[in-house]
Amino acid sequence: MTPAPVRVRFAPSPTGYLHIGGARTALFNWLFARQQGGQFVLRIEDTDTERSRPELIDVIFQALEWLGLDWDGAPVHQSQRSELYSSAIEKLLADGSAYWCECTPDAVKARAAVRGGPPGYDGFCRDRGLGPGEGHVVRFRVPDEGTTAFDDVIRGHVSFENANLEDFVIQRSNGTPMFHLANAVDDADQGITHVVRGEDLINVTPKVLLIRDALHAAGELTFAHLPLIVNEKRQKLSKRRDDVSVGDYIDRGYLAEAMVNYLATLGWGAPDGIEIRPLPEIVELFRLSDVGSSGAFFDVKKLQHFNGEYIRNLSVPQFVSSSTRWLFDDPPWPPDRFDVATFEVLAPLVQERVKLLSEVPGYVDFVFAPEPTIDDASWQKVMVKGGELATAVLDHAAGAFEVCEWDAASLEAALFAYAEEHDVARGKVQAPVRVAVTGRSVGPPLFESLEVLGRDETLRRVRDARARL
RNA sequence: GCCCCCAUCGUCUAGCGGCCUAGGACACCACCCUCUCAAGGUGGCGGCACGGGUUCGAAUCCCGUUGGGGGUGCCA
């Protein structure tokens, strides 16, 4: 017999934005599905009506779209499938796999405190034959003996003693199902073949397995628990503590391709060791069983390196259009002074220098702003400490730039004539002009910049700076 | 406390019993290139947590110790 085609799911809960950890989980599911020629489906786990925020669902979808992780079929919303869960719960209740319980969380906690020992539910209502009622929940009757085990693609054999599992809630007192139940029902109903998720969910696996057993769920379910992505303290990434919203990375000027490529290296490595490579190659090489099992630190520095590589690999038109947002959204110059054609001239020079698209405006603001924004540290270093050299160079430039041809090569020759005559390093000679014209001691190549700025404005800025020395 | 998982350079990883004097990448340092900054080039720094086994041979297999993480909700 031929094995069932792979069908995996990404099942976010709309209680927050898509974060880095979720994006990685979605990516690995997607990679596995695409590599296997299988399907990747989406399921919104919104059974907790108190916490779910429907407006976040689209935000999550948009983040997945931005990442380029396309899904098969329409997403399933658990909130719209309550009949399925209720009938599963009735079935479990009917055959004794589950029972009604009237204990409040406080009562459970209080008894545990009196009892001492491990916290958790003590099976108080197990055999009381309670029925539905105000404040009643449904609990799953966990076998007292035996073990529940599974073979994890990434971790190997994992087993739990049933005796260590408490009778957990599968239906809240408000009638909504808990996620273990909905999860087990949906995975069976949707024909899911592999569950690929974070390691933080590994200990709910026996509960889901127990429910599947009791429901006589059809089909095999294979699990793969991904290592967690951790922060610098090696703790699981947290939305509150860490900077992890995918949306924030979009806003900072990261390219989706760079993010996806970087995320793929967290827990997985291509056999040939090449890290930066096109997505189709990653799809081809990806093997779920090759995923590592220890936590991986989310290293923004390395992500930035990847991003710089991807930015440099863009064609110039692609770079220009990718930068658009940062050029028009709250730019550091009066919007009407911006000119695309001018930017396009400078674009290739900027492209090879930025790691983030959000840095782009800072490289071209001197052209579009009426005055250069003077960086104090640069002025101090070059103009003040530079002393006589600065004044001499600016005087030379003011004269030479007035008569030379206005193109980069001529400007370079005109300015560096000073370096030849006075035997001064070219680096020292360009500095005062750069600070006078752009306000900073670093930036795109100077002479191309001057060419774009034009003779009148360049001379005005040079004289202006000279006057202030 | 109890349960589960993990352990190769600072970080991400390659390694799946001899090819390892442990390879690559990021970061860092030096030098080269150079109008600044980047990019690029060359070189450097730096690791198998520890202790027992198994074996002719262990980063690789087994056990233990230590360390770290996750879970322990009427969240997912």
Side-chain angles (χ1 to χ4, degrees):
Chain A
M1 81 180 223
T2 56
V6 162
R7 191 168 159 84
V8 296
R9 42 61 164 193
F10 176 57
S13 168
T15 53
Y17 300 102
L18 183 69
H19 60 104
I20 297 300
R24 203 275 298 254
T25 300
L27 171 65
F28 279 32
N29 270 283
W30 183 90
L31 285 173
F32 178 60
R34 296 296 173 248
Q35 201 282 319
Q36 294 281 311
Q39 292 188 303
F40 172 67
V41 304
L42 252 37
R43 181 163 77 219
I44 304 303
E45 304 218 327
D46 50 358
T47 59
D48 186 347
T49 47
E50 307 279 305
R51 271 168 249 257
S52 286
R53 291 167 53 196
E55 72 275 14
L56 288 176
I57 295 174
D58 273 340
V59 178
I60 292 172
F61 288 166
Q62 282 160 17
L64 290 171
E65 273 167 13
W66 178 77
L67 289 166
L69 307 180
D70 56 326
W71 54 90
D72 301 302
V76 162
H77 292 68
Q78 290 187 328
S79 55
Q80 290 162 16
R81 294 158 62 90
S82 44
E83 346 64 58
L84 259 180
Y85 313 127
S86 320
S87 70
I89 291 166
E90 274 167 36
K91 195 173 156 195
L92 296 174
L93 240 16
D95 72 6
S97 298
Y99 60 89
W100 289 97
C101 168
E102 64 173 0
C103 302
T104 61
D106 284 346
V108 171
K109 214 173 290 176
R111 281 202 302 274
V114 171
R115 182 175 73 240
Y121 185 64
D122 55 4
F124 188 75
C125 297
R126 244 188 180 198
D127 302 307
R128 294 176 64 202
L130 260 31
E134 180 69 28
H136 293 196
V137 298
V138 177
R139 287 185 183 271
F140 186 86
R141 186 188 302 269
V142 176
D144 295 325
E145 297 175 346
T147 63
T148 299
F150 58 97
D151 288 303
D152 192 286
V153 177
I154 294 169
R155 275 153 228 287
H157 194 73
V158 181
S159 87
F160 295 79
E161 294 292 329
N162 291 154
N164 289 324
L165 267 29
E166 65 177 42
D167 287 353
F168 52 92
V169 173
I170 56 176
Q171 183 180 84
R172 300 185 183 90
S173 58
N174 68 5
T176 56
M178 288 287 288
F179 109 104
H180 320 90
L181 188 281
N183 213 265
V185 169
D186 285 335
D187 283 343
D189 182 68
Q190 294 186 283
I192 299 300
T193 59
H194 298 255
V195 172
V196 181
R197 56 172 24 160
E199 196 202 342
D200 50 342
L201 290 169
I202 197 164
N203 35 231
V204 333
T205 305
K207 298 180 183 178
V208 171
L209 252 15
L210 252 12
I211 295 173
R212 281 176 67 89
D213 264 10
L215 253 20
H216 304 294
E220 282 290 304
L221 195 53
T222 303
F223 290 87
H225 287 94
L226 267 17
L228 260 23
I229 295 184
V230 302
N231 60 23
E232 62 289 335
K233 293 167 73 181
R234 302 215 67 84
Q235 293 167 328
K236 176 170 100 163
L237 251 29
S238 137
K239 290 180 193 179
R240 289 189 54 186
R241 234 187 354 239
D242 305 305
D243 187 11
V244 291
S245 162
V246 169
D248 289 344
Y249 285 85
I250 301 175
D251 294 342
R252 286 188 196 117
Y254 285 90
L255 259 21
E257 293 78 5
M259 177 62 86
V260 164
N261 195 155
Y262 174 66
L263 251 20
T265 68
L266 260 28
W268 178 81
D272 58 11
I274 296 173
E275 296 185 316
I276 296 182
R277 65 199 317 158
L279 189 55
E281 277 184 33
I282 296 175
V283 168
E284 187 184 332
L285 296 167
F286 186 79
R287 296 293 180 280
L288 202 48
S289 55
D290 286 344
V291 174
S293 41
S294 45
F297 171 60
F298 184 71
D299 187 351
V300 178
K301 280 249 183 75
K302 189 157 179 176
L303 205 213
Q304 280 186 9
H305 175 260
F306 275 45
N307 207 51
E309 291 278 308
Y310 273 88
I311 286 177
R312 288 191 295 277
N313 279 332
L314 254 25
S315 67
V316 175
Q318 281 174 326
F319 173 70
V320 171
S321 77
S322 299
S323 303
T324 303
R325 198 187 134 173
W326 286 271
L327 263 9
F328 288 93
D329 241 24
D330 194 28
W333 51 72
D336 59 306
R337 292 182 59 100
F338 181 73
D339 172 61
V340 183
T342 303
F343 176 67
E344 282 171 345
V345 176
L346 256 13
L349 304 175
V350 176
Q351 182 177 3
E352 60 186 51
R353 287 173 168 74
V354 296
K355 283 193 162 72
L356 301 176
L357 292 174
S358 53
E359 295 169 349
V360 171
Y363 275 86
V364 296
D365 60 350
F366 73 93
V367 189
F368 302 118
E371 293 294 336
T373 304
I374 304 295
D375 171 63
D376 289 340
S378 299
W379 183 274
Q380 196 65 27
K381 188 175 107 193
V382 176
M383 301 303 210
V384 178
K385 288 194 178 152
E388 289 179 17
L389 177 63
T391 54
V393 166
L394 291 181
D395 284 338
H396 170 86
F401 290 171
E402 207 158 2
V403 297
C404 74
E405 290 294 309
W406 204 258
D407 59 77
S410 305
L411 285 160
E412 178 172 350
L415 182 63
F416 288 155
Y418 182 93
E420 310 301 326
E421 286 164 24
H422 300 83
D423 195 28
V424 183
R426 294 177 160 209
K428 294 280 186 197
V429 174
Q430 59 94 38
V433 177
R434 181 182 292 281
V435 173
V437 175
T438 73
R440 305 189 190 90
S441 54
V442 302
L446 182 61
F447 305 107
E448 284 79 354
S449 299
L450 299 185
E451 184 181 324
V452 166
L453 230 208
R455 191 192 305 268
D456 292 349
E457 183 60 14
T458 298
L459 285 174
R460 191 184 70 76
R461 292 184 187 188
V462 167
R463 288 176 184 136
D464 209 59
R466 173 64 182 85
R468 286 189 285 147
L469 289 179

